[in-house]
Amino acid sequence: MSLVKANNESIQRAAEIIKHGGLVAFPTETVYGLGADGLNPIAVAKIFEVKKRPSFNPLILHIADKGSLKKFSPTKSEKIDLLIEKFWPGPLTLVLPKSEIVPDIVTSGNQTVAVRMPNHPVALQLIKASGTPIAAPSANRFGHLSPTEAKHVEKYLGDKVDIILDGGKSSVGVESTIIQFYENEFYLLRPGGLSKEEIENEIGKIKTGKIDSHKPSSPGQLSFHYSPNTPLKFFNKKLLDKDKKIGALFFKENKIDFTFAEVKLLSVTGDLREAAANLFSHLHELEKNNLDLILVEPVEEKGLGRAIMDRLKKASNKLE
Ligand code: TXA
Ligand code: MG
């Protein structure tokens, strides 16, 4: 690890680290972020590993120019254009339907993606130099306070990141405001550095209640955390019914003598980071095939294995 003053040279070095799948802590105007290449699933998995979160949480993609939003979401709306015009760069995060290129691990399997253009010269220069959107949560360990100075990051995560760029104290000091656009309405998901009133001055009333994800027009699209529609269970010999179309999700190898309709491996080398990076996309793939049942192998509950198991347990409970 190295904590370095942000300047042209260190930002360039940090950008190379991002391009090579490493982790960079960097300043934004809200709080410091723990960043990785947002289009590289393995790099994104490292974020969860370092944060020691016991579960996955969708991440914000940070971009450096307003125009690149369209690469990550196909949604067009005049109100969104207004918001971007007025508040970007700044402490406003937009949750929108995601485009294909956004990896599932960034959104934790959701069909929506959170995007923000931060208002900090170091962040913007880093994103531009990296040539990729930077996925970043706040640079604290799970359950700790968000860092507003480089030394906070050093204290929490000093030995876990490849470089910490010191860009001084975050001027806003609280996280961005998050709003979701859904069926032509805006919903406040998290209050933050931009007030609701300021947003409403631009686009009119926004909602604060829960989004009704059970409307028939949007089956499953909005569920905050992904869970497959196909029943999912942990392996159990009794469930191996040959009259059923059963898909299997193993950790590194197929250990079961049964004709599965489809088999997916999370990581042939047995690497939990790779397994995490593949988890949501493999579940999506399995789900596409109209299976009667998905059977999954438990993984060891250490490191990223805890978050993987948390997700799988939730998915299996759901269908009891
Ligand atoms: O100011 C900020 O937003 C800072 C700086 C680094 O940009 N970032 C930040 O990230 O606070 P994080 O990961 O600590 O919080 C992001 C929040 C999480 O609560 C997450 O659940 C929510 O954004 N979020 C991300 N993607 C989402 C999505 N697709 N749908 C709903 N919520 C989402
Ligand atoms: Mg946070």
Side-chain angles (χ1 to χ4, degrees):
M1 186 283 305
S2 55
L3 190 159
V4 291
K5 274 233 154 327
N7 55 35
N8 288 337
E9 185 273 326
S10 59
I11 294 174
Q12 197 50 48
R13 189 141 56 88
E16 292 305 318
I17 291 171
I18 295 281
K19 287 186 202 169
H20 289 94
L23 295 184
V24 172
F26 64 100
T28 83
E29 81 283 26
T30 58
V31 300
Y32 275 68
L34 174 63
D37 178 350
L39 301 182
N40 175 343
I42 299 274
V44 173
K46 286 186 196 167
I47 293 176
F48 292 105
E49 192 173 310
V50 164
K51 287 220 23 153
K52 291 223 184 317
R53 267 193 137 265
S55 59
F56 294 104
N57 203 16
L59 302 174
I60 298 172
L61 276 188
H62 296 74
I63 61 176
D65 66 292
K66 300 176 186 181
S68 64
L69 173 63
K70 62 177 180 294
K71 289 188 223 157
F72 310 114
S73 173
T75 303
K76 289 198 185 78
S77 132
E78 256 172 43
K79 286 188 174 176
I80 292 173
D81 293 343
L82 270 174
L83 288 172
I84 289 173
E85 204 35 57
K86 179 80 182 179
F87 299 118
W88 276 8
L92 176 68
T93 296
L94 297 173
V95 173
L96 304 169
K98 82 174 194 79
S99 57
E100 202 52 28
I101 63 165
V102 179
D104 285 308
I105 190 170
V106 169
T107 68
S108 294
N110 285 294
Q111 296 302 319
T112 56
V113 63
V115 186
R116 148 172 137 84
M117 179 178 174
N119 188 15
H120 195 293
V122 173
L124 294 172
Q125 194 180 333
L126 173 67
I127 300 161
K128 278 188 196 135
S130 304
T132 188
I134 296 186
S138 49
N140 53 292
R141 280 209 185 178
F142 172 65
H144 289 255
L145 290 175
S146 292
T148 52
E149 292 181 51
K151 65 173 190 234
H152 301 158
V153 183
E154 188 178 34
K155 189 171 125 200
Y156 295 129
L157 303 171
D159 51 338
K160 302 288 195 305
V161 293
D162 297 306
I163 191 170
I164 300 172
L165 291 175
D166 185 350
K169 215 170 156 183
S170 296
S171 59
V172 175
V174 294
E175 286 94 341
S176 62
T177 300
I178 305 180
I179 59 175
Q180 177 162 1
F181 183 62
Y182 174 64
E183 296 195 335
N184 268 318
E185 306 265 19
F186 287 89
Y187 293 79
L188 182 68
L189 301 188
R190 177 177 78 182
L194 180 68
S195 74
K196 179 168 173 275
E197 290 77 8
E198 281 177 276
I199 297 172
E200 291 184 328
N201 272 340
E202 288 309 306
I203 56 163
K205 277 275 168 216
I206 63 176
K207 302 201 166 196
T208 48
K210 277 213 160 125
I211 296 175
D212 183 4
S213 58
H214 299 294
K215 284 188 193 165
S217 58
S218 60
Q221 286 295 288
L222 274 155
S223 54
F224 181 66
H225 283 297
Y226 174 73
S227 61
N229 292 318
T230 312
L232 180 148
K233 298 273 178 216
F234 287 102
F235 269 108
N236 177 338
K237 282 210 177 82
K238 287 186 208 135
L239 297 170
L240 295 171
D241 177 346
K242 54 182 181 351
D243 297 327
K244 281 193 174 152
K245 251 181 102 178
I246 300 178
L249 182 66
F250 290 98
F251 179 44
K252 53 189 279 198
E253 63 202 329
N254 181 350
K255 295 181 193 148
I256 303 218
D257 182 22
F258 180 81
T259 312
F260 290 107
E262 187 171 3
V263 172
K264 293 261 175 209
L265 307 179
L266 286 173
S267 167
V268 287
T269 56
D271 174 17
L272 284 168
R273 193 183 283 168
E274 186 182 19
N278 285 330
L279 177 68
F280 292 103
S281 49
H282 281 10
L283 287 173
H284 275 303
E285 289 293 318
L286 286 166
E287 195 176 31
K288 276 190 204 150
N289 294 328
N290 289 316
L291 301 166
D292 298 311
L293 179 65
I294 299 170
L295 289 178
V296 302
E297 179 184 26
V299 303
E300 197 184 343
E301 293 197 47
K302 63 160 202 231
L304 282 172
R306 265 191 290 274
I308 293 173
M309 283 300 282
D310 170 78
R311 190 86 293 281
L312 292 175
K313 282 177 191 167
K314 282 182 182 148
S316 69
N317 284 338
K318 193 142 210 133
L319 296 142
E320 283 298 334

